[in-house]
Amino acid sequence: MNQQLTFAPADDGQWEQYDQLATRAYGHPVGDITHLREHADLRVAVRGGRVVAGGLGLLVDQYFGGAPVPSACLGDGCVAPEERGDHLATDMTAERLRPLIERGAVISTISTSSTGYARRLGWEAPTNVLAWAVATDDLKRSFTTEDFEAEHGLTDEAESLQRDLARQWNGPVHRPTWWTRWKQDKSNLTTYRFARPGHPTTGLLSLTTKRHERHGTSLTVHDFWAVGQATAAAMLSFLGRHNTRARTITFRRGALPPYPTLLHGLRHHRTTAEAWHPWMLRILDIPEAIRLRGWPDDVTTDVPVEISNENGDRGRWMLQIKAGTAEIVPTHVQGQVTFTQQQLAVWYAGGYRSTTSARMAGVHAVSERTLAILVRTTTQFEPWLPDHF
């Protein structure tokens, strides 16, 4: 490893090299490297003319507070096994972020099983991520469609509905025009939309069906978007009608929104949850991330805060929120609330649902009232990221 290491945007030959490297490093082909070639930025590390590390980056908007915020979404990163142990992944991460920051990214989201490594670099998980499974017979017995109708296929109206509903959570991607085709081709998705006769679409469901190894099918839900409880119940009833073919309905990790329709509707609570590595958020540009986020119209406050970076150095800031807008500027005033870089990301995503959860996570405040005001500013919407990259 005496040869010099260089970082660069990948050319055609290096895309192919990285595809081969990722297959070797992950132990299986990584289809997104091919599928996202026209849309992603690929940065690689090269030693002696050979690609030894790299990863994809997508510049997309994510909704926070109802507003789109430019985000650097990183995925499919790896380092050649023979190159591990020299902090190459850390350097590679910085190189992958740099061009996306130059193009306007002010936050960054990743999904990784190496959560400790990600925390050291400033990312943190705002919420748990679970994959749910429920017996199809239980859905059939517990939910009814009322007068809803299901129609096959995606329409412009249904895509508009998905965008509108995505704004009501913290984290969902404002899907670019190519996003849906990528997901449909990748997972062979079948899409249904739901509405009462003669009324606009109020629900969107996408799923994939695979032949079960013994009999019937395995059915996995990828998208579950509903305007309200009645629509959600109709969609769950529709899934229950698959009971003769699929014994269990699986909701892919993060696919089921965190609302209590199943909890309140099932007669028998035999759901199972499997924990997955969470999505993690990092604030890249604090002032711009604060400015671009959506904020409650009915909150007016000035709160001095202190934010420590990955080196433990603290900066003092004045957070000012008024009439649905906010800004944060440097100040000499001592902070009333103290965040680490990681805690700031959780607060930004609405991950602290109460002062109790914030204090239990290590957030320090001079008073309960000040902390309560600050927590309230980001809890209008819950954190949920149903999109994967």
Side-chain angles (χ1 to χ4, degrees):
M1 297 186 185
N2 294 327
Q3 293 173 301
Q4 184 178 2
L5 187 69
T6 60
F7 299 93
D11 59 26
D12 289 345
Q14 290 165 338
W15 270 92
E16 300 302 327
Q17 281 195 52
Y18 186 68
D19 194 359
Q20 297 169 10
L21 170 63
T23 299
R24 177 163 64 91
Y26 281 101
H28 58 80
V30 182
D32 284 343
I33 295 175
T34 299
H35 293 150
L36 292 175
R37 187 161 181 170
E38 295 182 11
H39 312 292
D41 180 271
L42 173 61
R43 300 283 151 160
V44 293
V46 180
R47 192 192 301 277
R50 184 172 60 91
V51 172
V52 297
L56 301 182
L58 296 171
L59 180 61
V60 296
D61 290 338
Q62 287 182 264
Y63 289 114
F64 288 91
V69 181
S71 177
C73 296
L74 304 185
D76 297 329
C78 73
V79 174
E82 63 273 18
E83 293 275 349
R84 293 173 184 166
D86 289 327
H87 306 289
L88 177 52
T90 300
D91 295 337
M92 191 73 252
T93 299
E95 291 295 326
R96 293 167 67 189
L97 283 174
R98 183 167 47 78
L100 301 176
I101 293 173
E102 292 172 353
R103 291 167 53 193
V106 298
I107 61 174
S108 177
T109 297
I110 60 173
S111 179
T112 176
S113 58
S114 303
T115 53
Y117 152 77
R119 287 189 178 98
R120 289 194 295 273
L121 297 183
W123 279 273
E124 188 52 280
T127 188
N128 291 322
V129 172
L130 301 171
W132 291 92
V134 59
T136 318
D137 283 339
D138 286 357
L139 292 179
K140 184 175 178 61
R141 285 192 293 263
S142 300
F143 295 96
T144 60
T145 59
E146 297 185 8
D147 57 348
F148 282 85
E149 294 180 346
E151 294 189 59
H152 171 251
L154 188 65
T155 62
D156 291 342
E157 180 192 36
E159 289 191 287
S160 179
L161 171 71
Q162 187 276 329
R163 287 191 294 271
D164 290 342
L165 294 178
R167 291 179 179 271
Q168 299 176 18
W169 305 89
N170 291 329
V173 169
H174 180 189
R175 298 175 178 179
T177 55
W178 49 264
W179 188 280
T180 299
R181 175 56 62 87
W182 162 44
K183 289 297 184 181
Q184 287 178 335
D185 292 347
K186 176 182 177 179
S187 301
N188 193 27
L189 296 179
T190 302
T191 300
Y192 297 91
R193 57 193 193 278
F194 294 78
R196 287 189 166 99
H199 289 75
T201 299
T202 57
L204 181 66
L205 176 73
S206 71
L207 52 87
T208 182
T209 304
K210 296 181 180 179
R211 183 177 179 180
H212 194 277
E213 60 181 4
R214 291 188 177 180
H215 58 82
T217 60
S218 296
L219 194 151
T220 302
V221 174
H222 285 241
D223 272 304
F224 194 97
W225 300 90
V227 167
Q229 187 273 336
T231 303
M235 293 163 64
L236 292 170
S237 175
F238 171 82
L239 292 171
R241 297 204 298 269
H242 291 76
N243 65 319
T244 59
R245 296 290 295 161
R247 295 179 59 186
T248 302
I249 303 295
T250 299
F251 295 87
R252 192 179 190 272
R253 60 186 186 272
L256 190 64
Y259 46 58
T261 303
L262 273 179
L263 178 64
H264 295 169
L266 282 178
R267 298 181 186 179
H268 304 289
H269 293 281
R270 295 184 291 186
T271 57
T272 59
E274 183 179 0
W276 290 81
H277 47 265
W279 61 280
M280 304 182 76
L281 183 68
R282 174 179 169 184
I283 310 299
L284 302 173
D285 184 329
I286 294 175
E288 279 298 284
I290 294 295
R291 184 183 69 84
L292 293 172
R293 191 192 192 280
W295 300 93
D297 293 329
D298 60 344
V299 174
T300 299
T301 187
D302 293 352
V303 180
V305 299
E306 296 187 13
I307 304 170
S308 59
N309 61 21
E310 61 271 18
N311 299 319
D313 300 323
R314 287 188 181 181
R316 291 181 174 180
W317 303 83
M318 181 63 70
L319 174 65
Q320 301 170 316
I321 303 173
K322 183 178 181 180
T325 63
E327 67 173 359
I328 190 168
V329 295
T331 184
H332 295 294
V333 179
Q334 184 175 356
Q336 295 183 17
V337 178
T338 302
F339 287 119
T340 65
Q341 183 177 352
Q342 294 85 351
Q343 291 165 349
L344 179 72
V346 176
W347 166 77
Y348 187 91
Y352 300 133
R353 309 305 297 172
S354 66
T355 57
T356 302
S357 65
R359 284 189 283 101
M360 289 299 292
V363 177
H364 296 284
V366 298
S367 72
E368 190 77 0
R369 179 179 179 276
T370 300
L371 184 57
I373 291 171
L374 203 58
V375 166
R376 183 189 169 202
T377 62
T378 61
T379 54
Q380 180 180 9
F381 302 121
E382 293 185 64
W384 178 45
L385 180 56
D387 304 293
H388 300 274
F389 42 85

